[in-house]
């Protein structure tokens, strides 16, 4: 049915404008600053917030390259920057969906002597890179792009056919690597959620007919959009993102389960269409030659079926955690526009296991016995949901 409507939409879509990509960070302050520095070049970038980034060099000609996820380069005067002594050319722009790049061509071989990002204030972060001249042989040993197109990521899981065989559960331990998440009393959200994900995986695998895949199984950074792509590559039947938030003000404790907000759906669809490879948008539909408008319509259609399934999964998990631990937030079912909940055809929920800002919750979440109980509650919820979901699908087919 989707393919039939897809052909109709394609006929109506011709000539419609594609949306512009939104950015996580924008230039602020002095923007991009290049200056001569002890025979090399110093680069400073002022931006509105910290984002994942990397720096490396390329040869023929010698180039300094920096990637960001993602930085809007509006306001950069490339011609003025290119007048700096030691600089041949400066180019900025979109590197790939969701990732932007600056390339600085230099007059000769160089080494990146220092590079770092610091948070200046709540509305400003700064990246500084300093290069020094070197000989051709040394430069040749250090030159080259990293092997991954987008930083270091966990290996993509092997493909599994959805709708057949075991129930495939994708567990997504939040944060990781350069993004530690919330931190309280020496406890990092990224570490705690990876531990819980591994424990939950073991609990689930004791059940026949269940396969489990993790978006990361070590302390590495995985971009949010890539987590959704990995769920599709794994043929995931459900996607569970695991977190433990902290509040700057106020008191809160207990587990919370989120689904994608109704009002956030249009924005989420738009960003997904802008940033994802077309193969990542919908299982079984080739959108490689289509524009955003077609993808938006098809994703909205898919969500008509997926949204109630996500809601039912979230409700089941709330009850599972409550029955197993008695620890749920006063309003345990919430909605928000989280990026990892954007997959239109995979039931997806985000579980805040507790609040690191709550002493009571911290004590529970660092207790292996409490985590075991929580994991068993989530397992029971998934199994109950799967039975109900299968029965509902059977009724629809009849």
């Amino acid at each position: 049915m989707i393919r039939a409507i897809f052909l109709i939409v394609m006929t109506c879509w011709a000539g419609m404008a594609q949306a512009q990509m939104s950015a996580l960070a924008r230039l602020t302050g002095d923007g991009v600053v290049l200056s001569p520095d002890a025979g090399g070049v110093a680069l400073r970038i002022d931006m509105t917030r910290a984002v994942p980034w990397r720096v490396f060099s390329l040869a023929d000609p010698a180039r300094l390259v920096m990637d960001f996820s993602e930085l809007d380069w509006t306001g950069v005067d490339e011609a003025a920057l290119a007048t700096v002594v030691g600089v041949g050319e400066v180019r900025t722009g979109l590197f790939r969906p969701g990732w932007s790049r600056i390339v600085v061509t230099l007059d000769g071989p160089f080494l990146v002597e220092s590079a770092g990002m610091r948070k200046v204030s709540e509305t400003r972060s700064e990246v500084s890179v300093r290069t020094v001249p070197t000989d051709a042989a040394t430069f040749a040993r250090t030159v080259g792009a990293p092997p991954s197109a987008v930083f270091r990521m966990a290996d993509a899981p092997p493909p599994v056919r959805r709708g057949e065989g075991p129930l495939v559960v994708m567990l997504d331990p939040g944060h990781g690597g350069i993004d530690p998440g919330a931190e309280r009393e020496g406890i990092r959200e990224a570490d705690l959620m990876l531990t819980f994900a591994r424990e939950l995986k073991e609990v689930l695998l004791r059940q026949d007919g269940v396969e489990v895949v993790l978006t990361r199984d070590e302390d590495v950074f995985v971009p949010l959009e890539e987590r959704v792509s990995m769920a599709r590559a794994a043929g995931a039947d459900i996607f569970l993102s695991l977190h433990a938030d902290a509040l700057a003000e106020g008191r809160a404790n207990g587990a919370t389960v989120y689904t994608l907000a109704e009002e956030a759906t249009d924005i989420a669809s738009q960003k997904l269409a802008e940033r994802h490879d077309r193969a990542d948008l919908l299982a079984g539909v080739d959108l490689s030659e289509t524009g955003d408008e077609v993808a938006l319509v098809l994703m909205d259609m898919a969500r008509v079926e997926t949204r109630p399934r996500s809601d039912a999964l979230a409700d089941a998990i709330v009850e599972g955690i409550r029955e197993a631990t008695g620890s749920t937030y006063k309003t345990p079912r919430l909605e928000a526009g989280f990026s990892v909940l954007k997959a239109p055809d995979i039931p997806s929920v985000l579980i805040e296991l507790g609040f690191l800002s709550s002493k009571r919750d911290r004590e529970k979440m660092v207790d292996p016995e409490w985590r075991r109980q929580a994991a068993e509650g989530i397992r029971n919820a998934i199994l109950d949901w799967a039975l109900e979901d299968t029965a509902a699908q059977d009724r629809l087919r009849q």
Side-chain angles (χ1 to χ4, degrees):
M1 179 178 178
I2 288 181
R3 288 186 182 278
I5 298 178
F6 168 76
L7 294 175
I8 296 173
V9 174
M10 276 295 295
T11 303
C12 300
W13 172 78
M16 298 181 73
Q18 294 188 19
Q20 296 298 311
M21 182 186 70
S22 60
L24 295 175
R26 303 181 188 282
L27 296 177
T28 189
D30 294 329
V32 180
V33 178
L34 273 171
S35 57
D37 184 23
V41 171
L43 171 64
R44 191 184 82 243
I45 302 176
D46 292 339
M47 61 188 71
T48 54
R49 57 169 290 183
V51 295
W53 64 285
R54 68 177 180 184
V55 59
F56 58 94
S57 55
L58 295 175
D60 302 320
R63 285 159 289 164
L64 176 71
V65 183
M66 297 185 69
D67 293 337
F68 296 87
S69 171
E70 62 192 45
L71 175 62
D72 185 344
W73 297 109
T74 299
V76 171
D77 189 340
E78 296 176 351
L81 293 172
T83 63
V84 174
V85 175
V87 175
E89 183 182 33
V90 176
R91 298 292 299 275
T92 58
L94 183 67
F95 160 50
R96 53 161 283 176
W99 302 89
S100 52
R101 169 173 288 185
I102 182 170
V103 180
V104 181
T105 302
L106 299 177
D107 288 347
F110 64 92
L111 287 177
V112 175
E113 185 177 65
S114 63
M117 174 179 283
R118 69 185 183 96
K119 185 176 180 179
V120 180
S121 68
E122 291 301 318
T123 58
R124 182 186 165 204
S125 292
E126 177 187 280
V127 171
S128 298
V129 177
R130 183 172 180 266
T131 71
V132 293
T134 189
D135 58 86
T138 302
F139 180 68
R141 289 196 300 269
T142 62
V143 74
S148 169
V150 284
F151 302 84
R152 185 187 176 199
M153 299 181 298
D155 293 335
V160 179
R161 294 181 65 187
R162 294 176 60 192
E164 301 177 10
L167 177 73
V168 181
V169 179
M170 173 66 86
L171 298 180
D172 173 43
H175 309 281
I178 59 175
D179 176 17
E183 298 184 63
R184 288 293 189 280
E185 302 294 328
I187 303 169
R188 300 167 74 246
E189 181 182 4
D191 299 335
L192 184 60
M193 289 303 98
L194 179 56
T195 298
F196 182 67
R198 290 168 174 166
E199 294 168 344
L200 178 55
K201 176 181 179 179
E202 292 303 313
V203 168
L204 287 168
L205 288 178
R206 296 191 196 112
Q207 184 69 36
D208 291 338
V210 177
E211 290 189 3
V212 182
V213 186
L214 272 61
T215 56
R216 64 181 184 93
D217 199 10
E218 55 184 326
D219 187 24
V220 296
F221 171 76
V222 182
L224 294 177
E225 303 291 349
E226 295 293 337
R227 297 174 192 244
V228 180
S229 300
M230 294 173 73
R232 171 137 310 103
D237 294 297
I238 61 175
F239 180 94
L240 306 183
S241 191
L242 306 173
H243 291 260
D245 204 359
L247 300 180
E249 298 179 359
R251 296 180 180 179
N253 58 270
T256 309
V257 183
Y258 287 85
T259 52
L260 188 65
E262 184 77 32
E263 60 269 23
T265 300
D266 290 342
I267 298 174
S269 296
Q270 188 70 57
K271 290 184 177 180
L272 191 68
E274 290 166 359
R275 298 180 182 179
H276 263 66
D277 293 334
R278 287 297 188 258
D280 289 337
L281 296 180
L282 283 169
V285 181
D286 182 7
L287 301 179
S288 58
E289 300 300 324
T290 71
D292 292 349
E293 299 297 336
V294 175
L296 291 172
V297 172
L298 293 176
M299 284 191 290
D300 189 57
M301 290 168 51
R303 280 202 175 95
V304 170
E305 176 189 358
T306 306
R307 187 178 296 118
R309 298 176 66 206
S310 295
D311 289 340
L313 176 60
D315 291 340
I317 291 175
V318 167
E319 288 306 310
I321 295 176
R322 179 183 287 132
E323 291 177 4
T325 69
S327 178
T328 53
Y329 186 50
K330 59 183 178 181
T331 52
R333 271 288 282 115
L334 296 172
E335 296 181 337
F338 291 113
S339 294
V340 290
L341 301 181
K342 290 178 183 178
D345 54 344
I346 304 175
S348 306
V349 303
L350 185 145
I351 302 171
E352 293 279 5
L353 197 61
F355 292 88
L356 281 179
S357 50
S358 163
K359 182 176 183 294
R360 184 193 309 176
D361 279 4
R362 285 198 306 273
E363 291 174 348
K364 290 176 179 177
M365 289 189 290
V366 299
D367 180 3
E369 176 60 22
W370 185 91
R371 293 198 306 268
R372 180 191 63 78
Q373 294 173 356
E376 291 178 349
I378 294 172
R379 175 204 60 196
N380 295 341
I382 290 173
L383 297 178
D384 290 345
W385 171 87
L387 288 174
E388 292 293 331
D389 187 68
T390 300
Q393 297 302 312
D394 289 342
R395 289 193 295 270
L396 286 174
R397 283 191 288 270
Q398 294 172 1

